Amino acid sequence: MSERIETLKKARARMIDDRDAHAKVLAAPFDRDKAERARNKFIEIQTLIDALDRAIRGEDVISSDG
């Protein structure tokens, strides 16, 4: 596996850990301020995870073509 794919997968794993922390805040007893910030960060991080997934798939396609 290429170093680039390894880096993308490590970044994805780190972002999943960050996302999980925000999910815990969302699952906790309701605090409007914390919940709004956690929701926004969760969505932001999930968007980044989706982008990393696309990048990983793209690298897989490039490496299988080469």
Side-chain angles (χ1 to χ4, degrees):
M1 185 177 313
S2 79
E3 182 180 339
R4 190 178 305 160
I5 292 174
E6 273 299 312
T7 300
L8 290 167
K9 287 184 176 185
K10 285 178 185 176
R12 184 183 187 279
R14 181 161 297 144
M15 290 302 98
I16 288 172
D17 290 342
D18 288 352
R19 181 195 63 191
D20 290 350
H22 293 290
K24 287 178 184 177
V25 172
L26 292 170
F30 187 72
D31 176 326
R32 181 180 215 92
D33 249 2
K34 286 182 183 179
E36 284 182 23
R37 281 180 280 161
R39 183 178 59 237
N40 290 334
K41 289 301 288 181
F42 183 95
I43 292 167
E44 177 185 323
I45 293 168
Q46 184 60 48
T47 301
L48 178 54
I49 291 168
D50 294 342
L52 287 164
D53 286 340
R54 289 190 306 272
I56 291 166
R57 282 194 306 272
E59 287 297 321
D60 284 340
V61 168
I62 290 169
S63 65
S64 67
D65 286 346

